[in-house]
Amino acid sequence: GFRWDLLLPHYLIWVETLRVLKPGAHIAVFCFPDMAHRLAIDLEKAGFEIRNVWVWHYPNGMPATQPLNDEVDSRLVPGHESIVIARKKTDCKTYTENVAKWGTGGLRTKNTLGDGKSSTTVFAYNKPTDWERDLGADALPLRPVNPKPRTGKSAHHKSKMTRRNFHFCVKPVALLTHLLKLIAKPGDTVIDPFMGSGSAGMAAVWAGMNYIGIDMNADFVRIADARITYAQANPIPDRLVPGFVAPAKAARKARSARQEVAAPVGANHPG
């Protein structure tokens, strides 16, 4: 419902991004689902080839409906964002040839989650907690999140929301680590033309990659600098590792699995 929901970067930004990528290198761009088609067109116009549209599913999304009457709302509660996946074209005839020549072109699907599991095109990660958002930003002042232009107050939670990392669209580090490990390898350089508060930079550091972040907002650059500096000096917390399951949650899943195995066939799901 905010103005930045409706904006897309000018396609010339993607032209410049394409210019510095190796042949076969991938780009992953987040957007709201109703803008994915326009984003894909801009990426194609810039010279990329569209490979897929992945989905970030966030189970803890906040209600954002507008009731029209007792039975009808204007829309469903948002629960996902689209991730448009595109690739720089290459003259190589096969993926194998391109990987051998440039080190790019394929997706590193094996062991991305650290337990031998592969990946699907749907990535289920909760939105960041307050702890994750402010990790490394302890020394920064509290600021309103997404302040209204006329009042300067936050547009969230009755104008009372303040955070040290006050970026309005922070992505989870675990999700970005997962994505980076799919499209790049340790030692590669990641370029992020829309750095925001630096979550991708933290992910790149903890994945053993180099990182170039760009943002036009000086306040966000300061936040990103603090968070990335923290990542450079500290190991990744367990709860930010892709696929991490908290001990209590893991125990519940194990009990549920044992109960399911012990149940007679058809006892819980007749028919």
Side-chain angles (χ1 to χ4, degrees), residues 59-163:
N60 64 337
M62 295 296 292
T65 60
Q66 180 182 357
L68 303 180
N69 58 42
D70 290 342
E71 296 183 353
V72 179
D73 284 352
S74 60
R75 60 174 181 172
L76 298 178
V77 176
H80 78 281
E81 285 187 26
S82 298
I83 312 170
V84 179
I85 303 298
R87 190 176 67 175
K88 183 171 182 175
K89 296 177 182 177
T90 176
D91 292 332
C92 294
K93 295 181 180 179
T94 66
Y95 288 110
T96 302
E97 181 185 347
N98 200 84
V99 170
K101 183 176 181 179
W102 297 105
T104 61
L107 297 173
R108 302 174 183 279
T109 57
K110 303 302 181 185
N111 296 317
T112 302
L113 297 175
D115 55 7
K117 293 181 179 179
S118 187
S119 296
T120 72
T121 56
V122 178
F123 301 78
Y125 287 93
N126 280 333
K127 289 188 174 184
T129 62
D130 290 346
W131 169 83
E132 179 182 342
R133 291 177 65 107
D134 287 347
L135 188 63
D138 312 66
L140 299 178
L142 291 169
R143 296 274 296 274
V145 177
N146 195 27
K148 297 178 181 178
R150 296 179 63 183
T151 65
K153 295 182 179 180
S154 172
H156 299 271
H157 295 296
K158 300 180 181 180
S159 305
K160 295 180 180 180
M161 183 184 289
T162 58
R163 290 182 176 137

Side-chain angles (χ1 to χ4, degrees), residues 192-206:
D192 184 358
F194 302 96
M195 176 173 62
S197 62
S199 295
M202 300 179 84
V205 168
W206 280 324

Side-chain angles (χ1 to χ4, degrees), residues 41-64:
I41 290 171
D42 284 349
L43 289 169
E44 281 190 323
K45 185 178 179 181
F48 283 96
E49 58 177 359
I50 304 302
R51 303 298 299 171
N52 209 326
V53 178
W54 296 347
V55 171
W56 168 34
H57 167 53
Y58 41 88
N60 64 337
M62 295 296 292

Side-chain angles (χ1 to χ4, degrees), residues 167-203:
H167 193 276
F168 43 78
C169 192
V170 180
K171 297 293 188 294
V173 171
L175 167 64
L176 297 178
T177 303
H178 192 163
L179 292 176
L180 288 181
K181 286 185 174 182
L182 281 171
I183 64 178
K185 64 183 184 299
D188 282 351
T189 297
V190 177
I191 185 166
D192 184 358
F194 302 96
M195 176 173 62
S197 62
S199 295
M202 300 179 84

